[in-house]
């Protein structure tokens, strides 16, 4: 039996984002965090370059995405403008993403990003 992942539409990349979110939830580490934010960052471009990218509802979504602070944080990491350290506190098994002197909860980052895209893909 052959398993195929087709990547020819924003929906396909959104489905990958969901798989990446599951991996991050199951195994909280820097590699899985980076993979998740990388997919989230690139999904914006896939939506923009899709045949429906010129529709008004899609333009509004893209505008909202471009102003979202969490996705802008992802953008800076992916474009190597900022670097991050992924820490796990062994005492309470709590993870943090550290960028400069700021700490972020990777699970909150994941939830914020999924919420941003969720409404669009629930309808499309």
């Amino acid at each position: 039996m052959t398993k195929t992942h087709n990547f020819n539409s924003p929906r396909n990349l959104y489905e990958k984002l969901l798989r990446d979110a599951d991996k991050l939830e199951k195994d909280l580490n820097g590699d899985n965090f980076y993979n998740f934010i990388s997919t989230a960052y690139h999904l914006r471009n896939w939506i923009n370059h899709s045949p429906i990218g010129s529709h008004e509802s899609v333009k509004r979504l893209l505008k909202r995405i471009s102003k979202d602070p969490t996705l802008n944080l992802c953008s800076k990491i992916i474009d190597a403008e900022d670097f991050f350290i992924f820490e796990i506190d062994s005492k309470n098994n709590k993870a943090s993403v550290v960028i400069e002197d700021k700490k972020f909860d990777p699970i909150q980052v994941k939830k914020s990003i999924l919420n941003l895209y969720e409404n669009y893909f629930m309808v499309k």
Side-chain angles (χ1 to χ4, degrees):
M1 186 162 114
T2 302
K3 187 172 185 174
T4 303
H5 288 141
N6 189 5
F7 290 95
N8 63 2
S9 72
R11 168 143 319 267
N12 301 136
L13 201 61
Y14 176 70
E15 290 167 356
K16 180 189 180 318
L17 181 69
L18 296 177
R19 291 191 300 273
D20 288 347
D22 286 342
K23 288 177 188 174
L24 180 60
E25 190 76 32
K26 290 176 184 167
D27 188 9
L28 203 53
N29 64 52
D31 287 348
N32 287 341
F33 179 76
Y34 185 86
N35 291 339
F36 175 79
I37 66 167
S38 178
T39 302
Y41 169 74
H42 291 292
L43 182 52
R44 171 178 49 188
N45 292 331
W46 279 60
I47 293 169
N48 188 38
H49 290 99
S50 73
I52 61 169
S54 61
H55 292 165
E56 284 307 310
S57 61
V58 176
K59 286 181 180 180
R60 284 192 301 273
L61 169 71
L62 291 169
K63 187 175 182 177
R64 191 170 70 232
I65 288 171
S66 71
K67 293 180 180 182
D68 183 76
T70 304
L71 215 48
N72 284 333
L73 180 73
C74 297
S75 171
K76 288 181 178 186
I77 292 170
I78 301 305
D79 291 338
E81 293 173 29
D82 282 336
F83 301 98
F84 75 95
I85 298 169
F86 197 92
E87 296 178 339
I88 298 179
D89 184 344
S90 58
K91 289 182 182 178
N92 61 12
N93 204 29
K94 179 123 171 90
S96 297
V97 175
V98 181
I99 301 172
E100 294 180 2
D101 59 346
K102 298 177 193 145
K103 283 190 175 191
F104 302 90
D105 179 344
I107 298 302
Q108 285 306 115
V109 170
K110 178 191 76 138
K111 287 178 182 177
S112 175
I113 289 170
L114 289 177
N115 286 337
L116 188 62
Y117 285 117
E118 185 176 61
N119 287 336
Y120 173 75
F121 283 100
M122 291 301 151
V123 202
K124 303 292 176 212

